[in-house]
């Protein structure tokens, strides 16, 4: 499983923006990366074909997997096992204990994906690998193309917003829940002393870590003076919430010299009244 995560990280660093995979690999990558992870789902006929293969060699079998597709009550009417169970796992680490329990209860065979079958074989059980049909692969590709076009349109909209933000005098930065920068307008790039390529830059390497952590924990920050590579500035920040969950934050920087100029202009205007 870790090798899948490492491979995905390499591909993402090389420009991959969408991944198709299945089973436990899909669950792992979705909890690790922010790009769309499309699951190649088994269809009903995939289940039937795998169960029919198992019927030739076992009378007590279990179907074990990592999504709700592995819980199909109406599947029972198509199989003739003496005993048949369907087990849905929410996490990969649950697989070993679930399979050991099945073995202790007298099950002879396990039907599932690669990782489930590997664990079952290690426990001395017969295994029957779920085969992905061309139908399921084509369905996943169709889903991927749909999401790709949505992401492309979103990218165009973000580019338009980015062009607008680049006209602002204030530095504006957005970060995800880990503190990784997701956008920075030109003013922020100047004040932070960074280039336009911000991918995988953690804002905590440029700003006090405690300030960043506090904002991401839900505490807004207003006009905090700090020194940046481009000079002194006033920092403000607020968490971004989706529902009840904090998904990131937005930070703004205003150069101290600009603030001083504004204050001087206000005082001049007040004197002239």
């Amino acid at each position: 499983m870790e090798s899948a995560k490492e491979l995905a990280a390499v591909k993402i660093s090389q420009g991959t923006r969408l991944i198709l995979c299945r089973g436990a690999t899909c669950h792992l990558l979705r909890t690790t990366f922010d790009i769309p992870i499309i699951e190649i789902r088994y269809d009903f006929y995939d289940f039937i074909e795998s169960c029919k293969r198992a019927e030739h060699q076992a009378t007590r079998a279990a179907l074990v997997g990592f999504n709700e597709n592995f819980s199909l009550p109406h599947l029972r009417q198509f199989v003739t096992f003496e005993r048949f169970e369907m087990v849905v796992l929410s996490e990969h680490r649950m697989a070993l204990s679930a399979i050991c329990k099945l073995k202790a209860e007298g099950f002879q065979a396990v039907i599932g994906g690669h990782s489930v079958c590997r664990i079952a074989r290690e426990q001395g059980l017969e295994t029957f690998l779920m085969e992905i049909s061309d139908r399921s692969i084509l369905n996943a590709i169709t889903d991927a193309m749909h999401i790709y076009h949505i992401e492309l349109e979103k990218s165009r909209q973000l580019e338009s917003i980015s062009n607008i933000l680049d006209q602002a005098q204030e530095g504006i930065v957005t970060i995800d829940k880990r503190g990784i920068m997701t956008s920075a307008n030109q003013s922020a790039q100047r004040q932070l002393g960074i280039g336009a390529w911000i991918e995988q830059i953690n804002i905590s390497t440029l700003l006090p870590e405690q300030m960043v952590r506090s904002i991401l924990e839900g505490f807004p920050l207003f006009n905090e003076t700090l020194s940046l590579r481009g000079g002194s500035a006033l920092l403000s920040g607020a968490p971004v919430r989706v529902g009840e969950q904090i998904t990131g934050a937005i930070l703004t920087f205003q150069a101290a010299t600009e603030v001083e100029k504004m204050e001087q202009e206000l005082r001049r205007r007040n004197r002239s009244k």
Side-chain angles (χ1 to χ4, degrees):
M1 296 300 294
E2 288 301 314
S3 62
K5 187 164 68 173
E6 292 168 4
L7 178 60
V10 170
K11 292 300 182 182
I12 291 171
S13 70
Q14 294 172 346
T16 296
R17 289 294 173 265
L18 186 148
I19 294 175
L20 283 79
C21 55
R22 66 177 189 173
T25 301
C26 183
H27 283 254
L28 174 65
L29 298 188
R30 281 177 174 170
T31 58
T32 306
F33 303 106
D34 293 329
I35 69 169
I37 308 295
I38 309 302
E39 184 171 9
I40 305 174
R41 291 180 174 270
Y42 304 104
D43 65 20
F44 185 74
Y45 296 102
D46 295 332
F47 288 104
I48 290 293
E49 290 170 6
S50 299
C51 289
K52 290 300 181 183
R53 282 190 287 114
E55 282 180 334
H56 294 298
Q57 299 185 44
T59 58
R60 296 185 297 279
L63 182 65
V64 182
F66 293 91
N67 63 58
E68 67 278 4
N69 283 1
F70 281 81
S71 180
L72 299 169
H74 52 290
L75 183 61
R76 295 181 184 276
Q77 63 185 294
F78 294 94
V79 298
T80 58
F81 294 110
E82 177 185 306
R83 189 175 178 193
F84 181 61
E85 292 292 337
M86 289 173 281
V87 180
V88 179
L89 307 172
S90 59
E91 297 179 19
H92 182 264
R93 60 187 178 85
M94 298 172 60
L96 178 57
S97 60
I99 289 170
C100 288
K101 183 173 182 290
L102 290 169
K103 182 179 179 180
E105 292 175 354
F107 283 87
Q108 304 160 320
V110 167
I111 306 162
H114 286 282
S115 57
V116 165
C117 285
R118 176 182 55 78
I119 295 170
R121 282 194 301 272
E122 291 171 353
Q123 299 304 311
L125 295 175
E126 289 287 336
T127 60
F128 297 88
L129 181 65
M130 287 283 299
E131 300 289 348
I132 289 286
S133 66
D134 292 343
R135 294 182 304 272
S136 298
I137 294 173
L138 287 173
N139 287 338
I141 292 173
T142 300
D143 291 343
M145 291 301 296
H146 177 67
I147 291 175
Y148 170 77
H149 288 300
I150 292 174
E151 292 295 318
L152 189 61
E153 180 59 30
K154 189 189 299 182
S155 176
R156 289 172 180 156
Q157 293 175 357
L158 289 174
E159 184 177 358
S160 176
I161 294 171
S162 177
N163 290 334
I164 294 171
L165 293 178
D166 279 339
Q167 307 307 312
Q169 290 186 340
E170 295 84 359
I172 304 171
V173 168
T174 57
I175 60 176
D176 66 17
K177 60 186 177 183
R178 300 169 297 167
I180 303 297
M181 295 173 64
T182 54
S183 70
N185 69 349
Q186 291 181 0
S187 177
Q189 293 168 24
R190 287 193 300 271
Q191 293 185 62
L192 293 171
I194 59 175
W197 184 257
I198 62 168
E199 193 152 335
Q200 296 305 311
I201 295 179
N202 195 304
I203 196 68
S204 295
T205 62
L206 304 169
L207 301 177
E209 185 176 358
Q210 184 56 45
M211 283 187 183
V212 176
R213 187 183 302 115
S214 178
I215 295 169
L216 289 173
E217 287 175 353
F219 302 98
L221 187 70
F222 300 101
N223 295 330
E224 186 75 24
T225 303
L226 73 165
S227 296
L228 301 176
R229 295 178 186 179
S232 297
L234 296 180
L235 167 67
S236 296
V240 173
R241 286 184 169 86
V242 175
E244 297 296 319
Q245 188 167 356
I246 294 175
T247 59
I250 182 167
L251 313 174
T252 62
F253 311 89
Q254 193 164 19
T257 52
E258 292 298 323
V259 176
E260 291 170 0
K261 288 178 183 178
M262 291 169 60
E263 290 177 344
Q264 290 173 4
E265 178 63 18
L266 286 172
R267 286 196 293 269
R268 187 187 66 76
R269 291 182 181 182
N270 288 333
R271 287 196 300 268
S272 64
K273 288 181 179 178

